[in-house]
Amino acid sequence: MEKQGRESFSVSIEVYRDAWGVPHLRAGDPDELAFAQGRVTARDRAWQLEVERHRARGTTAAFLGAAELGWDVFARRVRLSDTARLCFARLERTDAPTAAWVRAYVDGVNDGLAEGARRTPEFAETGLAPGRWEPWTPLAVWLSTHILFAGFPTKLWREEVARRLGEEWTELFATDGPGTAGSNGWVVAGERTASGAALVAGDPHRFIEAPGVYQQIRLACPAYDVVGLAVPGVPGLAHFGHTGPVAWAITNAMADYQDVYRERLRRLPDGGVEALGPEGWRSATAHTETVEVAGGEPVVIEVIETDRGPVIVDVDEEPETGGPEGGAPEAGALSAGAPRAEVPVDGVPADARTAGDSPAAGAPVDSSADGVLENGPVGGAPEGVRPGGDDGWEVLALRHPPRVTGRLGFEVLPGLLRARTVGDVDAALDGWVEPVNVVQAADTRGGLLHRVAGYVPVRNRANSLRTVPAWDAAHAWADAPAPLPRAEVRGHAVMANARGLAAPLGVEFAPPHRADRIDALLGASADWTPETTTAVHRDTDNPSAAPLLAAAERAGAGLSPAASAVRERLLAWDRRMDAESTGAGLYAAVRGAVVRRLAGHEAFAALREPAPYPEVFRPWLALGPRVAFALETLLTAGPVPAGDVDRIVREALEEVAAGEPPAAWGTTHRLAPWQALPDPDDARWPGLAGDHDCVLSTSSVPGWTDRGARASAARYVWDLADRERSGWVVPFGASGVPGDPHHEDQLPLWLRGELAPVTTDWQYLTKEQG
């Protein structure tokens, strides 16, 4: 049965809602169910879906304006849509049933978009008309959400540190030292729960968006009945689900699986382009595209791809000689870039929300600098080629698994929905590609799973650290990916982006604070329930404060009476980042003053000039946030002498003492969600508890803003004893339609650290009519 319009709906499709407006869908087969999922998502979140579709195509500036130009240029140059087409074409060749299932979802989206758009005022406000989704669009949405997730721009930062500060400081800012927002997850074996059955729990930390990045949903047909958290625009439940017999969850493994190659290009007389590879000069593909800009002139860019991958940064301006007729595209167009949206957060633009676990979340952006990336220490210029000369110009190209393999891992999604045991989940995830995740699962038979899933290429270690020369064969990828680690679960297991299970696959990981704290909390009881588990979600202890508190303790001599009083209050603080805590507010004020002074120290003078890269990469490249998140390290090591560190801490205490007494933490640490259109009432957003290294992880940019742009994008507890005792919550609500009763009705629960119940008994749900 074709499912391409309202008249073709099967009578078996039923839509129910629980008390929170969460859709529970029932249909006669998986394809009908996928159609229903697409349709209900379009009705509930039409604006969100269309923004994501345009982001994947690189066409957001056409209706959102010039602030989105940088992302659109990057999306075009990295070839997001084309990669999605390639992956879908391979899916059709190798797994036709899954390709048909994805098509059914897309048909549902197309069927529901017009109705959803009529309910959503943003369409009229921007003049945007709902478009049409293609079968490959869900894959493009997935790619655009995760292309920056592995943080390959960190390699650009390391190049800048090595070039400007010195090789010995390359890993000074590694995220094992700095705090970073990430995701928490844990599984508790039945031997440590009150019911005797396992619990799977956690919370993914991402940029908080309105509408939210996760959608609570239930998918039921004769083949399966699953509740979970979907990504709007993507069928199934890729990350978090509970089928009844088995439940699973993920966090970012912090693996390194994307490489940045330094490429040497040259222009041919006919306008074509060649790239210098290990076998010499080889043809590269090149074409131009026009990016439309609302209220501005269109921008023409050249899209180039070498044998390594698409060019993402045009580092040197192309020489005037040898260009095609009419000249090369303007250097300014080739270098254009901007974060996802310059949403002011107390004067600081927000980071691109696809930044995954970037340590520089919310970095301020300075777009004033131009510059030329000099050859880094890895490889150098190819023999016989003069950098910047007539032999060509230098660029950076990205190599990542979906572009190389033609696979994203969508083949896995139907298998997850059908899973009944951890063995089923394990077998399905063998085919996963992007992104690389740590997975935990438990089933009603007592089975437990803790493993890494995804595609990590095998290559030279230097590829993981810095940019590498494309012309050196030593940096090529091996044919087969790296083996993926797994571990036995003994009592409980924790995943929180820290160095551990995935250590062989990555370079930089989150500090161990969240993982260690969750491990300690779980170890304190053998009687866990879904209700008591929420206390772990809410924990606000801040271990990363210890080095600054130690520095403050050393700073007693020579302080003014007022600064001494600040110091005494700080040292008496209980280290908890509660919203109502004035001690936490005081700590944040002193920390901010220390960060600003450290960033201004002469030792870092060489890093103050903005790096010469497109603004979309600037969140990884700004000195201030790098210092902020490396504070633990910089207080005890690094180029700033110990005596200067002590002086800086004393000056910070004096600064805070001279000003107004800091307010409670939640007064300044308020939610700052990303929205495609600015909120006219930003002051309405509430205060937050937590901090970036707390289990309740809510990130700001210390020293620049206390506003919290990253936090739990959802929380969940999956109970394997009784699925109806499970719980979940999202920051806002099930609906993306302003004014809908379920648009923000979960926000109070989310702020309190509580969960909404998972209701699966159909008699307690309300059936939609029509």
Side-chain angles (χ1 to χ4, degrees), residues 146-155 158 175 251-259 355-357 400-401 432-438 451-457 459 461 463-465 482-485 497-510:
H146 294 101
I147 188 67
L148 291 172
F149 209 70
F152 69 81
T154 296
K155 296 175 184 181
R158 294 193 198 107
T175 53
T251 65
N252 186 355
M254 306 296 281
D256 178 79
Y257 52 90
Q258 301 168 326
D259 287 348
D357 293 307
H400 63 115
W432 190 246
V433 176
E434 166 86 17
V436 180
N437 294 321
V438 176
R451 63 163 290 186
V452 177
Y455 188 107
V456 180
R459 74 277 204 216
R461 176 67 172 171
N463 291 39
S464 295
L465 298 173
L484 300 175
N497 315 112
R499 190 175 298 273
L501 182 65
L505 306 176
V507 176
E508 295 187 13
F509 295 83

Side-chain angles (χ1 to χ4, degrees), residues 132-181:
R132 184 164 186 83
W133 281 47
E134 301 293 337
W136 48 265
T137 302
L139 285 74
V141 168
W142 189 263
L143 271 170
S144 71
T145 302
H146 294 101
I147 188 67
L148 291 172
F149 209 70
F152 69 81
T154 296
K155 296 175 184 181
L156 308 182
W157 169 254
R158 294 193 198 107
E159 290 286 358
E160 292 300 300
V161 172
R163 184 169 68 91
R164 301 186 192 192
L165 201 62
E167 284 282 340
E168 67 273 25
W169 304 116
T170 301
E171 297 186 43
L172 176 65
F173 300 91
T175 53
D176 286 83
T180 179

Side-chain angles (χ1 to χ4, degrees), residues 201-214:
D203 55 323
H205 302 148
R206 295 199 179 202
F207 272 83
I208 299 302
E209 299 184 40
V213 299
Y214 284 112

Side-chain angles (χ1 to χ4, degrees), residues 189-569:
E191 67 201 59
R192 301 188 62 80
T193 69
S195 68
L199 295 170
V200 179
D203 55 323
H205 302 148
R206 295 199 179 202
F207 272 83
I208 299 302
E209 299 184 40
V213 299
Y214 284 112
Q215 171 196 29
Q216 299 149 304
I217 200 165
R218 181 187 185 183
L219 306 173
C221 65
Y224 47 77
D225 182 343
V226 192
V227 298
L229 299 164
V231 174
V234 177
L237 301 166
H239 285 165
F240 310 96
H242 193 334
T243 72
V246 67
W248 69 90
I250 63 94
T251 65
N252 186 355
M254 306 296 281
D256 178 79
Y257 52 90
Q258 301 168 326
D259 287 348
V260 181
Y261 285 85
R262 298 205 313 279
E263 297 271 7
R264 176 63 55 177
L265 305 183
R266 69 182 181 187
R267 184 78 64 179
L268 301 178
D270 64 0
V273 176
E274 288 186 332
L276 183 64
E279 293 83 29
W281 293 98
R282 295 290 184 267
S283 293
T285 65
H287 68 276
T288 60
E289 296 187 14
T290 300
V291 183
E292 300 294 335
V293 182
E297 293 297 317
V299 175
V300 177
I301 64 169
E302 186 172 30
V303 178
I304 301 173
E305 185 167 11
T306 74
D307 288 344
R308 270 65 57 194
V311 170
I312 56 170
V313 178
D314 192 73
V315 181
D316 296 352
E317 183 177 348
E318 180 181 350
E320 292 290 339
T321 58
E325 186 177 353
E330 293 183 6
L334 287 172
S335 300
R340 168 160 185 170
E342 294 194 12
V343 183
V345 179
D346 290 351
V348 181
D351 174 24
R353 58 95 184 184
T354 47
D357 293 307
S358 162
V365 176
D366 183 341
S367 59
S368 62
D370 292 320
V372 175
L373 178 68
E374 298 176 4
N375 288 311
V378 181
E383 185 177 355
V385 173
R386 301 190 310 278
D390 294 341
D391 297 291
W393 77 103
E394 190 160 306
V395 299
L396 299 179
L398 178 68
R399 188 170 179 83
H400 63 115
R403 191 70 186 166
V404 174
T405 66
R407 294 176 56 237
L408 273 174
F410 270 44
E411 302 91 336
V412 166
L413 300 181
L416 285 176
L417 296 174
R418 294 191 299 267
R420 294 293 180 269
T421 67
V422 295
D424 296 336
V425 172
D426 195 13
L429 289 172
D430 284 341
W432 190 246
V433 176
E434 166 86 17
V436 180
N437 294 321
V438 176
V439 183
Q440 291 177 337
D443 62 33
T444 54
R445 302 178 184 180
L448 299 166
L449 178 69
H450 187 42
R451 63 163 290 186
V452 177
Y455 188 107
V456 180
V458 174
R459 74 277 204 216
N460 192 303
R461 176 67 172 171
N463 291 39
S464 295
L465 298 173
R466 308 268 284 279
T467 65
V468 292
W471 49 86
D472 188 342
H475 300 290
W477 286 13
D479 292 335
L484 300 175
R486 60 180 61 234
E488 182 181 354
V489 178
R490 297 179 178 176
H492 66 263
V494 179
M495 50 182 184
N497 315 112
R499 190 175 298 273
L501 182 65
L505 306 176
V507 176
E508 295 187 13
F509 295 83
H513 303 310
R514 286 182 288 112
D516 289 349
R517 179 64 175 168
I518 296 169
D519 182 68
L521 291 170
L522 293 178
S525 174
D527 200 32
W528 288 101
T529 68
E531 294 75 20
T532 59
T533 298
T534 60
V536 180
H537 284 141
R538 294 192 297 265
D539 189 79
T540 60
D541 183 68
N542 188 4
S544 67
L548 180 53
L549 295 178
E553 191 164 16
R554 295 194 305 268
L559 291 176
S560 69
S564 293
V566 167
R567 173 179 173 273
E568 292 305 314
R569 285 184 56 209

